[in-house]
Amino acid sequence: MVMYCRTAWCRHLMAVSMALFCLLHNTMDVHARPANMSALKDKNNPTSKEENEILPPDHLNGVKLEMDGHINKGFHQEVFLGKEMEEFEEDSEPRRNRKKLIEIFSKVDFNKDKSVSAKEMQRWIMEKTEEHFQEAVRENKMSFHAVDPDGDGHVTWDEYRVKFLASKGFNEKEMADKIKNSEELKVDEETQEVLESLKDRWFQADNPPADQLLNEEEFLSFLHPEHSKGMLKYMVKEIVRDLDQDGDKKLTLSEFISLPMGTVENQQAQDIDDDWVRERKKEFEEVIDRNHDGIVTMEELEEYMDPMNEYNALNEAKQMIAVADENQNHNLELEEILKYSEYFTGSKLMDYARNVHEEF
């Protein structure tokens, strides 16, 4: 398997993916393109609570692409459910989920005409995205406190580096003393590569005039680049650099669908491979490439990934409606949203139409 990936952070993520890929291959005898690595990492290679607090997350709720360039599989549910995502778990009681979905429909239906228009869905998506933003702000307060124990409101790169190494199992006092005395840290190659990538990201988050210190707001941008135009631009640059094979700082369709390249040995794997390519091709041609010239620029990708872009929210609203709009009236009725509940919530309802009008 060949990976087009040149940043240290991405190489770290790809190493995790490769290990997981081998594990899956041994149990399934299938070569296929990896799915969302963030989800796999959480389930199969959990990190410590302390490390999760201070490391930038692989997955960003309400952002269309993952940090490694993969399409966010849960995006539709994230922007439709917001902070209520956890209430629609796989083992939840279907009748309870149906009732909750009816309640959500009534909230999205702002003018109470028993149908949801694209404008109403756009307004809802923006509200739910804001909920994810506020959740990130709350989590950042705890994360910042973890790296700013003296409470002076600022964190240096060295202070953060000590906390990061401690979360990886290194002795915190020993690391602090070595950094203070400018001694060699003697960490493994993978940890060193991640540190170098984090350092680059750290200084990108340091707003001018650069003072090599991050306050709480800058630390939020460090962990969540979607909260800052400058850091969102940096995130886009990293993704383009990892996918761009000819170095022109733009993406062609072939470049966008070629990450990662793999081999397939049976029909099941070929089907997975084809689905992966088909999904990325559709997203590239219909959504990301705004002017349909076959090239995606950094500006186009930045617009696509900006979670607070109202044009994107309207476009997403229209796509979500089109999926379930069986009567082709360009609106969503309650029966339609219940029938396609798996798309909107990730949870499939049984007997979705039973007593719909009575319950509503």
CSV table of all heavy atoms in Angstrom, one decimal, residues 222-267:
chain,number,residue,atom,x,y,z
A,222,PHE,N,-5.4,26.0,18.0
A,222,PHE,CA,-4.5,25.0,17.9
A,222,PHE,C,-5.2,23.6,17.9
A,222,PHE,O,-4.8,22.7,17.1
A,222,PHE,CB,-3.5,25.1,19.1
A,222,PHE,CG,-2.5,23.9,19.2
A,222,PHE,CD1,-1.5,23.7,18.3
A,222,PHE,CD2,-2.7,23.0,20.3
A,222,PHE,CE1,-0.6,22.6,18.5
A,222,PHE,CE2,-1.8,21.9,20.4
A,222,PHE,CZ,-0.8,21.7,19.5
A,223,LEU,N,-6.1,23.4,18.8
A,223,LEU,CA,-6.8,22.1,18.9
A,223,LEU,C,-7.9,22.0,17.8
A,223,LEU,O,-8.1,20.9,17.3
A,223,LEU,CB,-7.5,22.0,20.3
A,223,LEU,CG,-6.6,21.8,21.5
A,223,LEU,CD1,-7.4,21.6,22.8
A,223,LEU,CD2,-5.6,20.7,21.3
A,224,HIS,N,-8.6,23.1,17.6
A,224,HIS,CA,-9.7,23.1,16.6
A,224,HIS,C,-9.5,24.2,15.6
A,224,HIS,O,-10.0,25.3,15.7
A,224,HIS,CB,-11.0,23.4,17.4
A,224,HIS,CG,-11.5,22.3,18.3
A,224,HIS,ND1,-12.3,21.3,17.8
A,224,HIS,CD2,-11.2,21.9,19.5
A,224,HIS,CE1,-12.5,20.4,18.8
A,224,HIS,NE2,-11.9,20.8,19.8
A,225,PRO,N,-8.9,23.9,14.5
A,225,PRO,CA,-8.6,24.9,13.4
A,225,PRO,C,-9.8,25.4,12.8
A,225,PRO,O,-9.8,26.5,12.2
A,225,PRO,CB,-7.7,24.1,12.4
A,225,PRO,CG,-8.0,22.6,12.7
A,225,PRO,CD,-8.3,22.5,14.2
A,226,GLU,N,-11.0,24.8,12.9
A,226,GLU,CA,-12.2,25.3,12.3
A,226,GLU,C,-12.7,26.6,13.0
A,226,GLU,O,-13.5,27.3,12.5
A,226,GLU,CB,-13.3,24.2,12.4
A,226,GLU,CG,-14.0,24.0,13.7
A,226,GLU,CD,-13.2,23.0,14.6
A,226,GLU,OE1,-12.0,22.8,14.4
A,226,GLU,OE2,-13.9,22.5,15.5
A,227,HIS,N,-12.1,26.9,14.2
A,227,HIS,CA,-12.5,28.1,14.9
A,227,HIS,C,-11.7,29.3,14.4
A,227,HIS,O,-12.0,30.4,14.9
A,227,HIS,CB,-12.3,27.9,16.4
A,227,HIS,CG,-13.3,27.1,17.0
A,227,HIS,ND1,-14.3,27.6,17.9
A,227,HIS,CD2,-13.6,25.7,16.9
A,227,HIS,CE1,-15.1,26.6,18.3
A,227,HIS,NE2,-14.7,25.5,17.7
A,228,SER,N,-10.8,29.2,13.5
A,228,SER,CA,-9.9,30.3,13.1
A,228,SER,C,-9.7,30.3,11.6
A,228,SER,O,-9.4,29.2,11.1
A,228,SER,CB,-8.6,30.2,13.9
A,228,SER,OG,-7.6,30.9,13.2
A,229,LYS,N,-10.0,31.4,11.0
A,229,LYS,CA,-9.7,31.4,9.5
A,229,LYS,C,-8.3,31.1,9.2
A,229,LYS,O,-8.0,30.4,8.2
A,229,LYS,CB,-10.1,32.9,9.0
A,229,LYS,CG,-11.6,33.2,9.0
A,229,LYS,CD,-12.3,32.4,7.9
A,229,LYS,CE,-13.8,32.8,7.8
A,229,LYS,NZ,-14.5,32.0,6.8
A,230,GLY,N,-7.4,31.6,10.0
A,230,GLY,CA,-6.0,31.4,9.7
A,230,GLY,C,-5.6,29.9,9.8
A,230,GLY,O,-4.9,29.3,9.0
A,231,MET,N,-6.1,29.3,10.9
A,231,MET,CA,-5.8,27.9,11.1
A,231,MET,C,-6.6,26.9,10.2
A,231,MET,O,-6.1,25.9,9.8
A,231,MET,CB,-6.1,27.5,12.6
A,231,MET,CG,-5.1,28.0,13.5
A,231,MET,SD,-3.4,27.4,13.2
A,231,MET,CE,-3.6,25.7,13.7
A,232,LEU,N,-7.8,27.4,9.7
A,232,LEU,CA,-8.5,26.6,8.7
A,232,LEU,C,-7.7,26.6,7.4
A,232,LEU,O,-7.6,25.6,6.7
A,232,LEU,CB,-9.9,27.2,8.5
A,232,LEU,CG,-10.8,26.4,7.6
A,232,LEU,CD1,-11.2,25.1,8.2
A,232,LEU,CD2,-12.1,27.2,7.3
A,233,LYS,N,-7.1,27.7,7.1
A,233,LYS,CA,-6.3,27.8,5.9
A,233,LYS,C,-5.1,26.9,6.0
A,233,LYS,O,-4.7,26.2,5.1
A,233,LYS,CB,-5.8,29.3,5.7
A,233,LYS,CG,-5.2,29.6,4.4
A,233,LYS,CD,-4.8,31.1,4.3
A,233,LYS,CE,-5.9,32.0,4.4
A,233,LYS,NZ,-6.7,32.0,3.1
A,234,TYR,N,-4.5,26.9,7.2
A,234,TYR,CA,-3.4,26.0,7.5
A,234,TYR,C,-3.8,24.5,7.3
A,234,TYR,O,-3.0,23.7,6.7
A,234,TYR,CB,-2.8,26.2,8.9
A,234,TYR,CG,-1.8,25.2,9.4
A,234,TYR,CD1,-0.5,25.2,8.9
A,234,TYR,CD2,-2.2,24.3,10.3
A,234,TYR,CE1,0.4,24.3,9.3
A,234,TYR,CE2,-1.3,23.3,10.8
A,234,TYR,CZ,0.0,23.3,10.3
A,234,TYR,OH,1.0,22.4,10.7
A,235,MET,N,-4.9,24.1,7.9
A,235,MET,CA,-5.4,22.8,7.7
A,235,MET,C,-5.6,22.4,6.3
A,235,MET,O,-5.3,21.3,5.8
A,235,MET,CB,-6.7,22.7,8.5
A,235,MET,CG,-7.4,21.3,8.5
A,235,MET,SD,-8.9,21.3,9.5
A,235,MET,CE,-9.6,19.6,9.1
A,236,VAL,N,-6.2,23.3,5.5
A,236,VAL,CA,-6.4,23.1,4.1
A,236,VAL,C,-5.0,22.9,3.4
A,236,VAL,O,-4.9,22.0,2.5
A,236,VAL,CB,-7.2,24.3,3.4
A,236,VAL,CG1,-7.1,24.2,1.9
A,236,VAL,CG2,-8.6,24.2,3.9
A,237,LYS,N,-4.0,23.7,3.7
A,237,LYS,CA,-2.7,23.6,3.1
A,237,LYS,C,-2.1,22.2,3.4
A,237,LYS,O,-1.5,21.6,2.5
A,237,LYS,CB,-1.8,24.6,3.7
A,237,LYS,CG,-1.9,26.0,3.0
A,237,LYS,CD,-0.8,26.9,3.6
A,237,LYS,CE,-0.9,28.3,3.0
A,237,LYS,NZ,0.2,29.2,3.6
A,238,GLU,N,-2.3,21.7,4.6
A,238,GLU,CA,-1.8,20.4,5.0
A,238,GLU,C,-2.4,19.3,4.2
A,238,GLU,O,-1.8,18.4,3.7
A,238,GLU,CB,-2.0,20.1,6.5
A,238,GLU,CG,-1.2,21.0,7.4
A,238,GLU,CD,0.3,20.7,7.3
A,238,GLU,OE1,0.7,19.7,7.9
A,238,GLU,OE2,1.1,21.5,6.7
A,239,ILE,N,-3.8,19.4,4.0
A,239,ILE,CA,-4.5,18.4,3.3
A,239,ILE,C,-4.1,18.4,1.8
A,239,ILE,O,-3.8,17.3,1.2
A,239,ILE,CB,-6.0,18.6,3.4
A,239,ILE,CG1,-6.4,18.2,4.9
A,239,ILE,CG2,-6.8,17.7,2.4
A,239,ILE,CD1,-7.9,18.5,5.2
A,240,VAL,N,-4.0,19.6,1.2
A,240,VAL,CA,-3.6,19.7,-0.2
A,240,VAL,C,-2.2,19.2,-0.4
A,240,VAL,O,-1.9,18.4,-1.3
A,240,VAL,CB,-3.7,21.2,-0.7
A,240,VAL,CG1,-3.1,21.3,-2.0
A,240,VAL,CG2,-5.2,21.6,-0.7
A,241,ARG,N,-1.3,19.5,0.5
A,241,ARG,CA,0.1,19.0,0.4
A,241,ARG,C,0.1,17.5,0.4
A,241,ARG,O,0.9,16.9,-0.3
A,241,ARG,CB,1.0,19.6,1.5
A,241,ARG,CG,2.4,19.2,1.4
A,241,ARG,CD,3.3,20.0,2.3
A,241,ARG,NE,3.1,19.8,3.7
A,241,ARG,CZ,3.8,20.3,4.6
A,241,ARG,NH1,4.8,21.1,4.4
A,241,ARG,NH2,3.6,20.0,5.9
A,242,ASP,N,-0.7,16.9,1.2
A,242,ASP,CA,-0.7,15.4,1.3
A,242,ASP,C,-1.3,14.7,0.1
A,242,ASP,O,-1.0,13.6,-0.2
A,242,ASP,CB,-1.4,15.0,2.6
A,242,ASP,CG,-0.7,15.4,3.8
A,242,ASP,OD1,0.6,15.5,3.8
A,242,ASP,OD2,-1.3,15.5,4.9
A,243,LEU,N,-2.3,15.4,-0.6
A,243,LEU,CA,-2.9,14.8,-1.7
A,243,LEU,C,-2.3,15.2,-3.1
A,243,LEU,O,-2.4,14.5,-4.0
A,243,LEU,CB,-4.4,15.2,-1.7
A,243,LEU,CG,-5.3,14.9,-0.5
A,243,LEU,CD1,-6.7,15.3,-0.7
A,243,LEU,CD2,-5.2,13.4,-0.2
A,244,ASP,N,-1.7,16.4,-3.1
A,244,ASP,CA,-1.1,17.0,-4.3
A,244,ASP,C,0.1,16.2,-4.8
A,244,ASP,O,1.2,16.3,-4.2
A,244,ASP,CB,-0.8,18.4,-4.0
A,244,ASP,CG,-0.2,19.1,-5.2
A,244,ASP,OD1,-0.4,18.6,-6.4
A,244,ASP,OD2,0.4,20.2,-5.1
A,245,GLN,N,0.0,15.5,-5.9
A,245,GLN,CA,1.1,14.6,-6.4
A,245,GLN,C,2.0,15.4,-7.3
A,245,GLN,O,3.2,14.9,-7.5
A,245,GLN,CB,0.5,13.4,-7.1
A,245,GLN,CG,-0.3,12.5,-6.1
A,245,GLN,CD,-1.1,11.4,-6.9
A,245,GLN,OE1,-0.7,11.0,-8.0
A,245,GLN,NE2,-2.1,10.9,-6.2
A,246,ASP,N,1.6,16.4,-7.9
A,246,ASP,CA,2.5,17.1,-8.9
A,246,ASP,C,3.0,18.4,-8.3
A,246,ASP,O,3.7,19.2,-9.0
A,246,ASP,CB,1.8,17.3,-10.2
A,246,ASP,CG,0.5,18.2,-10.1
A,246,ASP,OD1,0.3,18.8,-9.0
A,246,ASP,OD2,-0.2,18.2,-11.1
A,247,GLY,N,2.6,18.8,-7.1
A,247,GLY,CA,3.2,20.0,-6.5
A,247,GLY,C,2.7,21.3,-6.9
A,247,GLY,O,3.3,22.3,-6.7
A,248,ASP,N,1.5,21.3,-7.6
A,248,ASP,CA,1.0,22.6,-8.1
A,248,ASP,C,0.1,23.3,-7.1
A,248,ASP,O,-0.5,24.3,-7.5
A,248,ASP,CB,0.3,22.4,-9.5
A,248,ASP,CG,-0.9,21.6,-9.4
A,248,ASP,OD1,-1.2,21.0,-8.3
A,248,ASP,OD2,-1.7,21.5,-10.4
A,249,LYS,N,-0.1,22.7,-5.9
A,249,LYS,CA,-0.9,23.3,-4.9
A,249,LYS,C,-2.4,23.4,-5.2
A,249,LYS,O,-3.1,24.2,-4.7
A,249,LYS,CB,-0.4,24.7,-4.4
A,249,LYS,CG,1.0,24.6,-3.9
A,249,LYS,CD,1.5,26.0,-3.4
A,249,LYS,CE,3.0,25.9,-2.9
A,249,LYS,NZ,3.5,27.2,-2.5
A,250,LYS,N,-2.8,22.5,-6.1
A,250,LYS,CA,-4.2,22.3,-6.5
A,250,LYS,C,-4.5,20.8,-6.6
A,250,LYS,O,-3.5,20.0,-6.6
A,250,LYS,CB,-4.4,23.0,-7.9
A,250,LYS,CG,-4.1,24.5,-8.0
A,250,LYS,CD,-4.3,25.0,-9.4
A,250,LYS,CE,-3.9,26.4,-9.5
A,250,LYS,NZ,-4.0,26.9,-10.9
A,251,LEU,N,-5.7,20.5,-6.6
A,251,LEU,CA,-6.1,19.1,-6.7
A,251,LEU,C,-6.9,18.8,-7.9
A,251,LEU,O,-7.9,19.5,-8.2
A,251,LEU,CB,-6.9,18.7,-5.4
A,251,LEU,CG,-6.2,18.8,-4.1
A,251,LEU,CD1,-7.2,18.4,-3.0
A,251,LEU,CD2,-5.0,17.9,-4.0
A,252,THR,N,-6.5,17.8,-8.6
A,252,THR,CA,-7.3,17.2,-9.7
A,252,THR,C,-8.2,16.1,-9.2
A,252,THR,O,-8.0,15.6,-8.0
A,252,THR,CB,-6.4,16.6,-10.8
A,252,THR,OG1,-5.7,15.6,-10.3
A,252,THR,CG2,-5.5,17.7,-11.4
A,253,LEU,N,-9.1,15.7,-10.0
A,253,LEU,CA,-10.0,14.6,-9.5
A,253,LEU,C,-9.2,13.3,-9.2
A,253,LEU,O,-9.4,12.6,-8.2
A,253,LEU,CB,-11.0,14.2,-10.6
A,253,LEU,CG,-11.9,13.0,-10.3
A,253,LEU,CD1,-12.7,13.2,-9.0
A,253,LEU,CD2,-12.9,12.8,-11.5
A,254,SER,N,-8.2,13.0,-10.1
A,254,SER,CA,-7.4,11.8,-9.9
A,254,SER,C,-6.6,11.9,-8.6
A,254,SER,O,-6.4,10.9,-7.9
A,254,SER,CB,-6.5,11.6,-11.1
A,254,SER,OG,-5.6,12.6,-11.2
A,255,GLU,N,-6.1,13.1,-8.3
A,255,GLU,CA,-5.4,13.2,-7.0
A,255,GLU,C,-6.3,13.0,-5.8
A,255,GLU,O,-5.9,12.4,-4.8
A,255,GLU,CB,-4.7,14.6,-7.0
A,255,GLU,CG,-3.5,14.7,-7.9
A,255,GLU,CD,-3.0,16.1,-8.0
A,255,GLU,OE1,-3.8,17.1,-7.8
A,255,GLU,OE2,-1.8,16.3,-8.2
A,256,PHE,N,-7.5,13.6,-5.9
A,256,PHE,CA,-8.4,13.5,-4.8
A,256,PHE,C,-8.9,12.1,-4.5
A,256,PHE,O,-9.1,11.8,-3.3
A,256,PHE,CB,-9.6,14.4,-5.0
A,256,PHE,CG,-10.5,14.6,-3.8
A,256,PHE,CD1,-10.1,15.4,-2.8
A,256,PHE,CD2,-11.8,14.0,-3.8
A,256,PHE,CE1,-10.9,15.5,-1.6
A,256,PHE,CE2,-12.6,14.2,-2.7
A,256,PHE,CZ,-12.2,14.9,-1.6
A,257,ILE,N,-9.1,11.3,-5.5
A,257,ILE,CA,-9.6,9.9,-5.3
A,257,ILE,C,-8.5,8.9,-5.2
A,257,ILE,O,-8.8,7.7,-4.9
A,257,ILE,CB,-10.5,9.5,-6.5
A,257,ILE,CG1,-9.8,9.3,-7.8
A,257,ILE,CG2,-11.7,10.5,-6.6
A,257,ILE,CD1,-10.6,8.8,-8.9
A,258,SER,N,-7.2,9.3,-5.2
A,258,SER,CA,-6.1,8.3,-5.2
A,258,SER,C,-5.5,8.1,-3.8
A,258,SER,O,-4.6,7.4,-3.6
A,258,SER,CB,-5.0,8.7,-6.1
A,258,SER,OG,-4.4,9.9,-5.7
A,259,LEU,N,-6.1,8.7,-2.8
A,259,LEU,CA,-5.6,8.5,-1.4
A,259,LEU,C,-6.5,7.6,-0.6
A,259,LEU,O,-7.7,7.9,-0.5
A,259,LEU,CB,-5.5,9.9,-0.7
A,259,LEU,CG,-5.1,9.8,0.8
A,259,LEU,CD1,-3.7,9.4,1.0
A,259,LEU,CD2,-5.4,11.1,1.5
A,260,PRO,N,-6.0,6.6,-0.1
A,260,PRO,CA,-4.7,6.0,-0.4
A,260,PRO,C,-4.8,5.0,-1.5
A,260,PRO,O,-5.9,4.4,-1.7
A,260,PRO,CB,-4.3,5.3,1.0
A,260,PRO,CG,-5.7,4.9,1.5
A,260,PRO,CD,-6.7,5.9,1.1
A,261,MET,N,-3.7,4.7,-2.1
A,261,MET,CA,-3.8,3.6,-3.1
A,261,MET,C,-3.6,2.3,-2.5
A,261,MET,O,-2.9,2.1,-1.5
A,261,MET,CB,-2.6,3.8,-4.2
A,261,MET,CG,-2.8,5.1,-5.0
A,261,MET,SD,-1.5,5.4,-6.2
A,261,MET,CE,-1.8,4.0,-7.3
A,262,GLY,N,-4.3,1.3,-3.0
A,262,GLY,CA,-4.3,-0.1,-2.4
A,262,GLY,C,-4.5,-1.1,-3.5
A,262,GLY,O,-4.7,-0.9,-4.6
A,263,THR,N,-4.3,-2.4,-3.1
A,263,THR,CA,-4.6,-3.5,-4.0
A,263,THR,C,-5.8,-4.2,-3.5
A,263,THR,O,-6.2,-4.2,-2.3
A,263,THR,CB,-3.4,-4.5,-4.0
A,263,THR,OG1,-3.2,-4.9,-2.6
A,263,THR,CG2,-2.2,-3.8,-4.5
A,264,VAL,N,-6.6,-4.8,-4.4
A,264,VAL,CA,-7.7,-5.6,-4.0
A,264,VAL,C,-7.6,-7.0,-4.5
A,264,VAL,O,-7.1,-7.3,-5.6
A,264,VAL,CB,-9.0,-5.0,-4.6
A,264,VAL,CG1,-9.3,-3.6,-3.9
A,264,VAL,CG2,-8.9,-4.8,-6.1
A,265,GLU,N,-8.0,-8.0,-3.7
A,265,GLU,CA,-7.8,-9.4,-4.0
A,265,GLU,C,-9.1,-10.2,-4.2
A,265,GLU,O,-9.0,-11.3,-4.6
A,265,GLU,CB,-6.9,-10.0,-2.9
A,265,GLU,CG,-5.5,-9.4,-2.8
A,265,GLU,CD,-4.7,-10.1,-1.7
A,265,GLU,OE1,-5.3,-10.8,-0.9
A,265,GLU,OE2,-3.5,-9.9,-1.7
A,266,ASN,N,-10.2,-9.6,-3.8
A,266,ASN,CA,-11.5,-10.3,-4.1
A,266,ASN,C,-12.6,-9.3,-4.4
A,266,ASN,O,-12.4,-8.1,-4.3
A,266,ASN,CB,-11.8,-11.2,-2.9
A,266,ASN,CG,-11.9,-10.4,-1.6
A,266,ASN,OD1,-12.4,-9.2,-1.6
A,266,ASN,ND2,-11.5,-11.0,-0.5
A,267,GLN,N,-13.8,-9.8,-4.7
A,267,GLN,CA,-14.8,-8.9,-5.1
A,267,GLN,C,-15.4,-8.0,-4.0
A,267,GLN,O,-15.7,-6.9,-4.2
A,267,GLN,CB,-16.0,-9.8,-5.7
A,267,GLN,CG,-17.1,-9.0,-6.4
A,267,GLN,CD,-16.6,-8.1,-7.5
A,267,GLN,OE1,-15.8,-8.6,-8.4
A,267,GLN,NE2,-16.9,-6.8,-7.5
